[in-house]
Amino acid sequence: MKAVVCRSPGELVLEDRPAPGTPPSGWALVAVSHVGICGTDYHIFEGKHPFLAYPRIMGHEVSGTVIEAGEGVDLSVGEPVIINPYLACGKCIACRQGKPNCCVRIEVLGVHRDGAMCERILVPAQNLYPANGLSLADAAAVEFLAIGAHAVRRSLAQPGARTLVIGAGPIGLGTALFARIAGLDVTLLDMSAERLGFAANELGFATLDGSQASATDLVREATGGEGFDVVFDATGNTQSVQSAFAHVAHGGTLVLVSVVKDDIVFSDPEFHKREMTLIGSRNALRADFDHVAASIRDGAVPLAKLITHRTTLGETPRDLARWAHEKSGLIKAVIEVGS
């Protein structure tokens, strides 16, 4: 089969790889249809991912069609599916508590093991969700949106809560969209006028431009000095995460959607006097995938606006390398693998 392989940082090639064999019990063989390109994929290509062994087939935002099912798999050949790329052990403390998204021994397709920038892939059946009427193109967008949907659900925020989403990249936009679907009053903060323009003009969000004034001043002015009830940080930037503590109202909640490699430092007196709730959010659960899929089917998610770039498997080495540096106009790129 054809596969796009990142052999080393900066080296992305189309290769012939052995096709997967017959699926074992509990697994299924999937013909890959569409693959979204994630910020993680750009980081892998650029050599910025801290826990990755090369060579690697990337790709974890995936839709496809079942072409062979192993013993005990309740999926039909030809069934369109959404792939949950978080492979969990099923035995650790997180899995026993119903949180396979933060499994102690989690393996993410395209990161810890080879992913779906290829024509076929073997996947545990428990990680395959029927597309239930979604097009395969739309189904490939479910995973990246589920990240934000999970973060919103983790926040336990009530309808009407004054909400700030920091970072207007794909994950931040997804978080903002599902915060709005949950009935929250959403404002986006970013340093990019282009991304804020998209959020305002195409998606209808209130915005704060961090390139024009300090975030502290902008938040103070937007909230009458009170801060936001809920703040989501989706920047992956250490300084932004540390600054976000000051944007939270007394009694409010800070949700860390993105992850940074550094230690986070904050003022304990400021944290305590607010009686702030701090929440980490990682990956997503089946309930989040289902919520996103239903929201797409209901027309609540403007996917046609979010998917700005498309390519094929054969053109991916060229296009992904270019898009890693040419970000203007780019929200989400998708690889069309199969017909």
Side-chain angles (χ1 to χ4, degrees):
M1 67 174 182
K2 297 294 184 184
V4 172
V5 182
C6 192
R7 291 178 175 170
S8 61
E11 185 184 7
L12 197 61
V13 297
L14 184 69
E15 288 186 357
D16 287 314
R17 284 287 187 98
T22 300
S25 176
W27 288 59
L29 180 62
V30 176
V32 177
S33 176
H34 290 73
V35 183
I37 301 176
C38 175
T40 297
D41 300 319
Y42 295 119
H43 291 157
I44 292 170
F45 171 71
E46 294 171 324
K48 297 178 181 179
H49 198 288
F51 307 117
L52 185 121
Y54 297 90
R56 177 64 70 226
I57 299 173
M58 302 181 292
H60 61 272
E61 302 175 4
V62 196
S63 66
T65 303
V66 175
I67 53 177
E68 187 177 354
E71 183 180 353
V73 174
D74 188 22
L75 289 167
S76 303
V77 172
E79 184 162 5
V81 290
I82 302 160
I83 294 181
N84 177 337
Y86 323 128
L87 276 58
C89 73
K91 300 177 181 179
C92 72
I93 184 170
C95 289
R96 296 198 307 271
Q97 293 178 349
K99 298 181 178 181
N101 60 305
C102 57
C103 168
V104 172
R105 290 175 286 277
I106 197 167
E107 290 188 302
V108 179
L109 295 177
V111 180
H112 304 96
R113 61 163 63 196
D114 282 341
M117 288 188 189
C118 57
E119 293 178 313
R120 297 185 176 193
I121 187 170
L122 284 171
V123 185
Q126 65 186 11
N127 287 72
L128 298 175
Y129 307 152
N132 287 335
L134 283 186
S135 71
L136 286 168
D138 288 353
V142 171
E143 190 274 341
F144 96 86
L145 292 168
I147 300 293
H150 183 70
V152 171
R153 189 160 62 87
R154 289 272 291 150
S155 75
L156 301 178
Q158 298 302 304
R162 192 159 52 186
T163 300
L164 180 67
V165 177
I166 309 172
I171 298 301
L173 291 174
T175 302
L177 285 166
F178 280 89
R180 184 163 66 188
I181 288 170
L184 311 188
D185 180 11
V186 183
T187 299
L188 271 159
L189 168 65
D190 201 279
M191 298 289 287
S192 168
E194 179 183 337
R195 288 197 167 185
L196 291 175
F198 176 87
N201 300 329
E202 300 296 331
L203 304 179
F205 286 110
T207 61
L208 301 175
D209 189 345
S211 70
Q212 300 299 310
S214 75
T216 299
D217 290 342
L218 291 169
V219 169
R220 183 185 301 114
E221 182 177 352
T223 64
E226 291 183 331
F228 285 88
D229 301 316
V230 188
V231 176
F232 297 90
D233 191 284
T235 63
N237 179 279
T238 302
Q239 183 176 350
S240 175
V241 173
Q242 293 182 162
S243 299
F245 284 80
H247 305 333
V248 181
H250 281 237
T253 299
L254 173 59
V255 184
L256 303 185
V257 189
S258 59
V259 62
V260 299
K261 292 187 291 183
D262 305 309
D263 292 340
I264 299 300
V265 179
F266 60 92
S267 167
D268 185 62
E270 290 294 324
F271 178 79
H272 267 83
K273 79 178 186 182
R274 286 170 167 78
E275 197 179 51
M276 188 190 303
T277 300
L278 177 63
I279 296 175
S281 183
R282 186 182 185 192
N283 298 329
L285 293 168
R286 173 68 184 265
D288 306 305
F289 280 76
D290 289 345
H291 177 39
V292 170
S295 298
I296 294 172
R297 280 192 294 269
D298 292 344
V301 180
L303 274 184
K305 295 180 178 179
L306 296 175
I307 308 302
T308 56
H309 292 55
R310 297 182 186 273
T311 188
T312 63
L313 195 65
E315 298 299 326
T316 293
R318 180 199 66 188
D319 289 339
L320 191 151
R322 178 162 52 88
W323 294 333
H325 306 289
E326 296 178 9
K327 299 294 188 184
S328 181
L330 174 63
I331 301 298
K332 172 60 65 174
V334 174
I335 304 167
E336 298 176 353
V337 179
S339 58

